[in-house]
Amino acid sequence: MAHKPTDEEAFGVAVPGRTSIPSGDNSVWADVSPLLHGACQDLQEGELIHGDNFNLFAAMSALEIMDPKMDSGIVCRYYSLEEAIENGAAPVPVSVDKTTDIRCIIDIMDHLLACEATWHKGHSLAQTVYSCLYLLQPDRTSSHALLHSYCRVTRATCKAVLSVVSDARTHEEEDLFTMAYGLPLSVDGDEKCLSMLNAVEETISRQLRACKSSSKRRVLEAIEPLQSDPDQEGYCKALLCRLRFRKHLYHLLMSIRRPQGRGLELARKHIASCISEFDCILKSSEFLRASAQGMCEQNIEDTTASGCQAIGFDASLNCRSSAPTPPRSIKILSWKKAVQYFVKLLQDLDIICAYSLDPSLEAALNFVIKFQKSQPDLVARSHLQLLLVQDGKLYGRIPMFALITRAAGLPEVTKDHDIQKNEFMVQLEQLVMNLLKILCTNVAWQRRKLGKMLQDWRVIHVQLELAFKKEFGEASKPSYDELCFKIFQQILMWVEEQTYWIAHRFLILGFELELYSVHDYCMVYWYIYTVLIKLAEKTHLRIVMNTGTAKKKGKKKKDSFKDAGRDYQMPGAVLFLQSQIYLAEGLCMMFSALKNEHVIAAPQSPFNTEHEIFIQQFELLRKACLPDNISYRSFKESTMHANFSNLVMCDYFKEAQKIAKDAKSCFANDPDKMSELRRVEQVAEHNSVALNLICRIGAIDRSLKVSFEFSHHPVFATAIVKRS
Amino acid sequence: MEGETQQPSAPIQENSSDGPRQISSDRVNRVKKLLFRRMLVGIKDGRFFLGGFYCMDKQGNIILQDAVEYRSTRRSSPSPMEQRCLGLILIPSSCRISCHVDCSVEEQLSLLSLNEK
């Protein structure tokens, strides 16, 4: 039976550290394991012991201990950072032997670069750059000038990049990037990193000179005696180009952030230096790989030039402080991929720095759109955004209102007009700024935001219109400000034009993001066609107002628009749009005919009817009433009669070709517009041929198969006809 | 079932007339009395979790609420302990190696006497 337990029995098996986990006052820890075991035996299957307020659903959200996906505290190799360091995971210096020390430090530098590239690509700092134990405890490296200065400049660079992305505030989709809590990102003295780096660079340069002169058997300078190691020269060179790369990268980041784009030219020089140092770095890999043969642990991930495993990295040590739950396991980029990333980053930054800072909104918008075609990464895009919109002005210099008046075709004097104090004008300025910022974000996020923005632009138009009517509604007002009237009028038109521009971009981005299935193309092209007609209308109106030709005022119906008299020279911008209008219409009609003649089978989806798909695809546009009076019915009415015998369809493509050719004469000095028009011509030509074939043979020969590819243009598909 | 006196489909009741059933429900009842008490669970890799006893199932998996994780910073003891808050956690029985409950000295005696039954 029971006897009075001894103290040891009371505590059961020795609980290590139990004295550090105190029980309450006048209470002890009692071992309940046997009791629990017994209770478990008595429980029924599926029966739980729980309290009255137990909620099974809430209980499901419990973190499961020892599950690597939920438990970030699982003890791996080391219990803590301190233990790791005490066990020699990050020695300072890395090796007593100077040559080995340098070789290892080069590997650390390379692996750090790979970590940095991985971070830029969208992972957290903690798992990448701060997996480096030397960075986690900044003071430890102070005795080793090379390592210390390199760590400082890396930290300072990361801090600069982090601040750019944070300031841009449009990185939601890559939100791991800015998580840095608990990490030593700002260490005192990091601002002086460059002077320290310069000193180290100087020392190594002297060593290199000494190496070279010792090989020629000349008297050495009185510096540390070097082993007459032929590899020493190679290591010095490898080291120097890496240090110089870091230096120029840091300078680049500082210059490019100078306000109002003042440092762009200097930044370009540093970019060029970075790229040339990269060449040296790449050249050094052969030497490093050769001299590392058999000297070290093989680097499976291949994150260093030498192929050796870098010392001093462990991503698991700080994962408890970096985030509430363990991060997804990630793979650090290989050395080659890291280099590729940085080279692309430098190229993208160079494009930004080379931009002429044209004081026109249209030019800025076109520049961003063109830049986005090369698929730049987050860091480059953030830099562009901060260059474009600073202190509420374009490039920090040109006020938004001045931009708007210029874009609307108003004379220079209007940019200082008091009307800019009107609350709706202020809101409009905000919308323009947001538009510029959104266009710098990644394409998927951008498209969603552009769609949401459409309503805001519509609303501002309505509000401005009401303000306009209020101001000038009464017929005889004593102080009739003619200039004010003109400003209101033209800005209103410009707002409409810009709204359709946004709608158009929203639609065409769907192709880049592959959001449309082949069966949606018909309605998408139809919608593009209707939006482009409106856009061309507004553009034409604006240009006409500017040139003062009063004859063509007022809304134009689309038919009269298309057969505009040939004696009137259509402005190039309008011709540009018209060629696309015909192309879109032609494609829409071709798809409709193919469907109506059953060459393309309509999808038999049990989920969505075509009507429902129409509503889903164009919901944001319809909410903003862009354009008005557009519905699924109007789409059906336009397309249901298309068939092979309406040969008038062929004219769409031919017309597109013709207009594109005419437009080219207006854009001889604009290579981008020229290449776009050429692409439009090509698509029109190919489709015209295909359509001819289909119309002539399609009705008779049912073995004809028509497929579509984006071989000539990213938005307008080319039809390919084959016999199956 | 044959040879048994209990009713075929009776769930376990506290006031069952059956002898063995009474004891088993006693053990379950005693554990029920431990609910929401501070429980210290030690696991295989050397960590400890202190929290309110919230739930247990037949397999012996335990859920603690407002749990705090204790770990030493060095492999060898004694060493300073680190702690962090985790909230609601589930400790699978497979990794549990010890389990203690905070109780008064008197209570401990009665708990022990039950253990030995």
Side-chain angles (χ1 to χ4, degrees), chain A residues 461-480:
Chain A
H461 183 263
V462 169
Q463 287 172 325
L464 281 171
E465 208 170 33
L466 285 171
F468 179 46
K469 286 193 177 129
K470 193 164 153 212
E471 184 80 18
F472 298 99
E474 297 111 54
S476 55
K477 236 188 149 193
S479 53
Y480 179 89

Side-chain angles (χ1 to χ4, degrees), chain A residues 94-239:
Chain A
V94 188
S95 162
V96 175
D97 172 48
K98 287 199 169 42
T99 312
T100 314
D101 191 41
I102 292 205
R103 183 173 56 73
C104 292
I105 289 183
I106 292 175
D107 290 336
I108 292 173
M109 290 177 176
D110 289 349
H111 189 86
L112 257 180
L113 195 76
C115 288
E116 215 173 323
T118 312
W119 171 52
H120 283 204
K121 279 286 192 184
H123 296 288
S124 68
L125 259 182
Q127 284 176 282
T128 54
V129 178
Y130 279 86
S131 65
C132 178
L133 304 187
Y134 294 108
L135 284 174
L136 281 176
Q137 286 214 340
D139 299 326
R140 285 188 64 236
T141 49
S142 42
S143 58
H144 193 304
L146 175 60
L147 195 53
H148 196 60
S149 57
Y150 196 82
C151 288
R152 276 206 191 280
V153 78
T154 303
R155 261 200 310 272
T157 308
C158 290
K159 188 168 163 211
V161 171
L162 187 72
S163 86
V164 165
V165 174
S166 298
D167 290 349
R169 270 193 286 264
T170 46
H171 60 277
E172 267 183 39
E173 71 282 9
E174 288 126 331
D175 57 10
L176 289 173
F177 192 97
T178 50
M179 275 184 359
Y181 33 82
L183 297 172
L185 195 57
S186 304
V187 176
D188 277 339
D190 273 354
E191 329 76 56
K192 301 190 199 103
C193 62
L194 281 180
S195 58
M196 233 183 278
L197 204 65
N198 283 334
V200 170
E201 190 191 334
E202 182 54 41
T203 312
I204 299 185
S205 298
R206 275 191 279 137
Q207 275 181 355
L208 180 62
R209 281 197 297 272
C211 283
K212 288 182 170 162
S213 63
S214 78
S215 68
K216 293 178 188 171
R217 294 167 189 271
R218 276 169 42 204
V219 176
L220 292 173
E221 296 174 31
I223 49 172
E224 292 158 42
L226 304 161
Q227 294 147 9
S228 51
D229 186 348
D231 285 346
Q232 193 75 12
E233 194 180 319
Y235 285 126
C236 282
K237 282 194 188 145
L239 207 51

Side-chain angles (χ1 to χ4, degrees), chain A residues 71 73 77 83 86 320, chain B residues 47 69 71 74-75 82:
Chain A
D71 185 2
R77 222 162 131 206
E83 195 186 28
E86 280 162 21
R320 287 167 5 117
Chain B
R47 287 182 291 163
E69 173 200 86
R71 73 197 262 146
R74 302 288 187 282
R75 215 170 275 272
E82 270 180 0

Side-chain angles (χ1 to χ4, degrees), chain A residues 64-77:
Chain A
E64 188 176 321
I65 299 302
M66 294 305 269
D67 178 336
K69 289 209 166 82
M70 286 191 265
D71 185 2
S72 55
I74 300 178
V75 177
C76 326
R77 222 162 131 206

Side-chain angles (χ1 to χ4, degrees), chain A residues 292-351:
Chain A
Q293 284 300 332
M295 292 261 247
C296 58
E297 236 179 277
Q298 176 67 139
N299 185 337
I300 321 150
E301 290 166 354
D302 210 16
T303 53
T304 56
S306 63
C308 293
Q309 191 77 24
I311 294 171
F313 289 83
D314 188 332
S316 64
L317 285 173
N318 64 16
C319 69
R320 287 167 5 117
S321 62
S322 62
T325 44
R328 286 200 315 266
S329 67
I330 62 163
K331 201 165 177 299
I332 300 289
L333 287 178
S334 69
W335 168 243
K336 284 205 181 77
K337 287 230 155 69
V339 170
Q340 275 172 4
Y341 168 78
F342 272 100
V343 169
K344 177 160 202 303
L345 174 63
L346 290 167
Q347 286 168 347
D348 289 337
L349 288 176
D350 195 48
I351 294 176

Side-chain angles (χ1 to χ4, degrees), chain A residues 593-594 597-600 643-645 690-706 721-723:
Chain A
L594 288 169
E597 300 268 13
H598 307 292
V599 178
I600 299 180
N643 57 49
F644 294 149
S645 49
L691 192 56
N692 249 317
L693 202 61
I694 295 169
C695 289
R696 280 185 319 178
I697 311 173
I700 323 152
D701 187 350
R702 285 289 149 181
S703 71
L704 230 50
K705 280 268 178 298
V706 188
V721 187
K722 285 196 190 120
R723 274 215 174 80

